[in-house]
């Protein structure tokens, strides 16, 4: 079975030995409770590297005071099995104390890209993401790192951080993986009861409609998001956090589509906050 | 003559070739206008590594709006000669645009260690230092990096950043180098006219007095700093910014000395802000 290590020094020693042997290292940072979305990242990492490291760490720093840190789902045994099946070579599963010393006081953050979208309702979220991803990159020192397009803002933020801070890692975004009925795979889907699970389909339905409108030539963002909004509004268990269209790289809001865009939504189903998105490349 | 390169990719290519050949790399980040203080860092780097990289970059991000960015002294030809004499293997001398893209928006910062001492009068200074040093570490990827003890708070901040963010670089602090009459070497000494140069001796005199008092057993910080203050006050061209004794690691102010301490001062001589310090290791 694939080895689980809990200390930074074990990861470093293993990876340094691999690099000395000339191996290329792929890295998939996760918060565990792995699903097919993560499996697609692990497959991509396995296909493109000699060795694959997966980190499983529910990062306290990226959760707000009223968010679901304590209840976030965990199942390390099943995660280990899925990593084994995916051909992962090492799992880094540290305790919080290994990552954050008691007098920890440094952080990585951003003045752009983080205020809009999820940044509005989760103000310190991306500081937590940037800080932990920086740390994990420094610990694992991978050649390539794999992130899901489902967390579109996170992916854009990490790409920018890597560019701005000259981090020597190639960031690779992988497509959203969906359930058969369209719901984007997420560890947080496990929070949903049967009725909520059905209601949650309004996200992918709205995404699908928005995508069709753009494909048919609609360029007015207000018209697109209004149509998407009406799908969510029809669902009594759903409450919109945001539905927005932004520049795919800068994440600045736009009114008319002339460039590559990210259309992203966040919707509460009961107390569970779910996100989904699509990207259209226009050149 | 030692080569000067201006692009990140040239540094990366050179260092990667060295690492492939099994060489250990030492790094001395500077703002140029090199003096004997920098030379001592280069010597230490040369003695402990196969290859030495020096960066020369006056980092705009660490200067406040009313500080001396434009007038900061520069002499790249003399710097190159001094690097050549010191056996440096590569100089990285980028333009600001190579380091900061127009839409640069990421940063590294700290919630502790940076508020006291120089952080009071230079509020965004250490954000600029942490960000550029992170970037330079990611670009050069040295095994060891050398910093002067003269910038004591900077050294403590960088040590903490390296620890907190798991940066795989060994940080080495080197002793303060002084002029024959005691003045700590600094590129900013070049701002002083003859009269100010004489007045500036009050810094090292105060430092020397403070050090003697601690050595003779004085443990009351207020008494020590008052005695030091009176030396500065006697000098009409001098104006105290701060004289303070802090815990050497956390930089928290203390009243009685029971631990290793940093005693640091910042004094304006005319418009020139100079700093000096001493450390006492008590175990």
């Amino acid at each position: 079975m694939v080895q689980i290590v809990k200390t930074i020094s074990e990861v470093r020693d293993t990876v340094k030995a691999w690099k000395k042997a000339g191996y290329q290292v792929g890295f998939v940072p996760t918060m565990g409770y792995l699903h097919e979305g993560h499996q697609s990242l692990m497959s991509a990492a396995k296909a493109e590297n000699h060795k694959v490291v997966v980190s499983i760490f529910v990062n306290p720093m990226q959760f707000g005071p009223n968010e679901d840190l304590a209840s976030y789902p965990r199942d390390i045994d099943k995660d280990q099995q899925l990593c084994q099946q995916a051909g992962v070579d090492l799992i880094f599963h540290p305790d919080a104390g290994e990552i954050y010393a008691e007098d920890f006081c440094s952080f990585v953050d951003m003045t752009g890209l983080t205020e809009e979208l999820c940044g509005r309702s989760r103000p310190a979220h991306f500081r937590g993401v940037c800080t932990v991803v920086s740390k994990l990159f420094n610990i694992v020192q991978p050649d390539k790192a794999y992130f899901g397009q489902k967390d579109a803002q996170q992916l854009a933020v990490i790409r920018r951080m890597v560019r701005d801070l000259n981090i020597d890692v190639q960031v690779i975004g992988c497509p959203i993986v969906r359930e058969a009925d369209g719901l984007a795979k997420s560890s947080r889907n496990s929070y949903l009861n049967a009725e909520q699970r059905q209601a949650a389909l309004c996200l992918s339905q709205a995404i699908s409609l928005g995508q069709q409108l753009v494909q048919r030539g609609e360029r007015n963002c207000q018209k697109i998001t209004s149509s998407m909004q009406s799908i969510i509004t029809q669902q009594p268990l759903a409450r919109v956090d945001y539905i927005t269209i932004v520049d795919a790289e800068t994440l600045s809001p736009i009114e008319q589509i002339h460039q590559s865009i990210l259309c992203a939504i966040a919707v509460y189903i009961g107390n569970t906050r779910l996100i989904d998105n699509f990207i259209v490349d226009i050149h």
Side-chain angles (χ1 to χ4, degrees), chain A:
Chain A
M1 190 65 93
V2 49
Q3 200 192 351
I4 299 181
V5 300
K6 297 188 84 65
T7 66
I8 292 165
S9 63
E10 287 170 291
V11 178
R12 282 225 165 110
D13 291 349
T14 303
V15 173
K16 282 192 176 166
W18 288 342
K19 293 216 164 178
K20 219 166 186 172
Y23 294 141
Q24 243 202 342
V25 178
F27 177 45
V28 183
T30 82
M31 300 212 299
Y33 212 72
L34 305 178
H35 51 64
E36 289 88 337
H38 301 105
Q39 286 177 297
S40 76
L41 304 179
M42 297 191 280
S43 298
K46 188 71 186 170
E48 298 176 1
N49 300 275
H50 303 103
K51 297 286 184 183
V52 175
V53 180
V54 170
S55 66
I56 296 177
F57 179 59
V58 182
N59 173 33
M61 200 181 182
Q62 72 190 64
F63 285 80
N66 297 314
E67 290 180 3
D68 56 343
L69 172 61
S71 61
Y72 196 85
R74 292 158 169 90
D75 187 344
I76 186 68
D77 293 335
K78 190 182 162 214
D79 288 347
Q80 189 181 19
Q81 279 171 17
L82 289 176
C83 288
Q84 171 69 23
Q85 284 165 23
V88 168
D89 298 281
L90 189 72
I91 298 172
F92 179 42
H93 181 48
D95 295 327
E98 178 75 2
I99 298 297
Y100 299 114
E102 241 177 86
D103 56 352
F104 184 93
C105 65
S106 307
F107 59 90
V108 182
D109 206 349
M110 215 165 273
T111 49
L113 279 75
T114 56
E115 288 86 3
E116 296 295 322
L117 309 176
C118 292
R120 290 204 177 190
S121 58
R122 310 187 74 187
H125 174 66
F126 289 109
R127 169 183 290 205
V129 169
C130 287
T131 302
V132 82
V133 170
S134 294
K135 284 170 64 69
L136 291 169
F137 281 178
N138 284 331
I139 293 165
V140 177
Q141 296 180 32
D143 298 283
K144 296 180 180 179
Y146 298 80
F147 295 86
Q149 182 59 49
K150 209 272 240 128
D151 299 307
Q153 187 174 17
Q154 171 178 279
L155 178 56
V157 163
I158 288 168
R159 282 193 201 283
R160 179 59 70 94
M161 175 184 82
V162 162
R163 189 206 72 170
D164 280 356
L165 300 182
N166 311 104
I167 298 173
D168 196 12
V169 173
Q170 194 183 335
V171 172
I172 298 181
C174 297
I176 297 177
V177 178
R178 298 180 180 279
E179 304 285 353
D181 61 7
L183 180 68
K185 300 264 185 187
S186 166
S187 306
R188 288 192 170 95
N189 293 347
S190 66
Y191 294 146
L192 305 171
N193 64 28
E195 198 188 2
Q196 291 170 331
R197 171 67 184 75
Q198 192 56 35
L201 287 179
C202 68
L203 278 95
S204 51
Q205 285 161 358
I207 287 296
S208 180
L209 173 63
Q211 215 160 4
Q212 280 168 36
L213 291 172
V214 180
Q215 274 161 7
R216 286 188 209 138
E218 182 58 64
R219 292 291 175 265
N220 182 298
C221 295
Q222 177 64 46
K223 283 192 188 162
I224 298 164
T225 55
S226 294
S227 303
M228 293 170 68
Q229 174 109 30
S230 68
I231 290 189
I232 311 289
T233 315
Q234 282 163 35
Q235 176 45 256
L237 296 182
R239 179 168 60 83
V240 170
D241 180 10
Y242 65 77
I243 299 180
T244 189
I245 297 178
V246 295
D247 180 281
E249 203 198 328
T250 66
L251 307 190
S252 308
I254 55 175
E255 290 176 11
Q256 285 285 128
I257 300 176
H258 302 294
Q259 72 259 64
S260 294
I261 56 105
L262 163 68
C263 175
I265 67 177
V267 175
Y268 285 93
I269 305 291
N271 293 320
T272 303
R273 188 173 172 282
L274 299 177
I275 58 176
D276 203 342
N277 69 80
F278 68 91
I279 281 185
V280 179
D281 280 319
I282 295 177
H283 298 287

